[in-house]
Amino acid sequence: GAGVSQSPSNKVTEKGKDVELRCDPISGHTALYWYRQSLGQGLEFLIYFQGNSAPDKSGLPSDRFSAERTGGSVSTLTIQRTQQEDSAVYLCASSSSSSSYNEQFFGPGTRLTVL
Amino acid sequence: AQSVTQLDSQVPVFEEAPVELRCNYSSSVSVYLFWYVQYPNQGLQLLLKYLSGSTLVKGINGFEAEFNKSQTSFHLRKPSVHISDTAEYFCAVSEGQTGANNLFFGTGTRLTVIP
């Protein structure tokens, strides 16, 4: 079956511009996560959605970052007024429930480059 | 709060030799432990996970890991590596039954298998 998909695969933008990154989770998965993978660092948790509950935004690095999940499926991560330090690979993952032992299935990521 | 340490950023090893990738974690609560693999230009894929029970966990592609609570370690091993095992390996933890569902990742270990 189809896995987690993300678009675009690559995004180059200029400092100060806004960007939107999209994630399509596996059909039926209720939990959705965004992570950031920066050069030389591990994956950093950003935000977590579970069903219709309020999202866990505890990992968002600044108020320039926001995310939404429409209809419990597709999610969009928005970065406003991008900075060079935002350059990273942004990964989306989904799982079949919110239980922390459930496997998270990852998408291929969006590589964001801020010039 | 959780933290994960992967001391070895790069591990070169000859084909058919054994390998151990080290992972240590710190946590004030019980945790679930995971190893993910990221092949070049692909998303993360779950290798194995420890939830409870037997401390020796077997995963895909001949990998196994052993949970050692006293040493707070979860080292990954394979008795004989193949060229196709060349990839980046990430250790991750999530809080056990108490809640936070996001994964905390180490910085990764790049395994290079030399012919």
Side-chain angles (χ1 to χ4, degrees):
Chain A
V4 177
S5 61
Q6 293 184 245
S7 61
S9 55
N10 280 283
K11 176 71 176 179
V12 180
T13 190
E14 294 179 348
K15 178 181 173 182
K17 301 277 189 178
D18 298 351
V19 295
E20 286 189 351
L21 312 179
R22 177 187 168 103
C23 171
D24 282 89
I26 292 173
S27 177
H29 279 191
T30 58
L32 186 147
Y33 308 78
W34 282 98
Y35 295 87
R36 178 169 70 175
Q37 185 176 18
S38 303
L39 189 64
Q41 299 186 28
L43 283 83
E44 172 191 14
F45 165 73
L46 297 177
I47 188 169
Y48 157 67
F49 295 89
Q50 169 56 35
N52 295 320
S53 302
D56 175 357
K57 304 179 182 180
S58 59
L60 294 178
S62 79
D63 58 8
R64 295 186 295 106
F65 288 72
S66 63
E68 62 177 21
R69 189 179 184 192
T70 54
S73 180
V74 172
S75 177
T76 302
L77 176 69
T78 301
I79 309 173
Q80 296 178 308
R81 305 181 302 281
T82 52
Q83 304 294 313
Q84 289 182 332
E85 60 262 29
D86 298 335
S87 295
V89 177
Y90 289 81
L91 294 169
C92 175
S94 69
S95 67
S96 58
S97 83
S98 62
S99 297
S100 56
Y101 54 78
N102 278 93
E103 177 181 355
Q104 294 183 23
F105 293 83
F106 284 80
T110 293
R111 182 175 298 278
L112 175 65
T113 303
V114 182
L115 301 176
Chain B
Q2 326 292 323
S3 70
V4 180
T5 302
Q6 292 181 248
L7 288 173
D8 306 307
S9 59
Q10 297 189 51
V11 173
V13 63
F14 286 104
E15 192 174 14
E16 297 184 5
V19 70
E20 178 180 84
L21 306 183
R22 296 180 292 168
C23 173
N24 288 85
Y25 68 93
S26 66
S27 174
S28 58
V29 299
S30 62
V31 296
Y32 299 133
L33 295 155
F34 305 80
W35 274 98
Y36 280 83
V37 59
Q38 187 176 30
Y39 296 106
N41 301 314
Q42 295 186 31
L44 276 76
Q45 177 182 358
L46 181 68
L47 268 181
L48 48 79
K49 62 183 177 183
Y50 171 79
L51 305 180
S52 65
S54 172
T55 57
L56 183 63
V57 179
K58 294 189 182 298
I60 62 171
N61 300 339
F63 284 92
E64 63 181 31
E66 185 157 19
F67 170 56
N68 187 318
K69 187 175 182 179
S70 63
Q71 297 185 4
T72 59
S73 68
F74 190 54
H75 300 331
L76 181 70
R77 302 187 187 101
K78 186 169 182 178
S80 175
V81 295
H82 301 140
I83 295 291
S84 59
D85 294 323
T86 294
E88 186 124 21
Y89 292 79
F90 293 93
C91 182
V93 303
S94 66
E95 287 183 359
Q97 299 160 357
T98 53
N101 301 305
N102 54 289
L103 293 169
F104 295 86
F105 285 88
T107 51
T109 297
R110 182 171 299 278
L111 173 65
T112 302
V113 180
I114 304 164

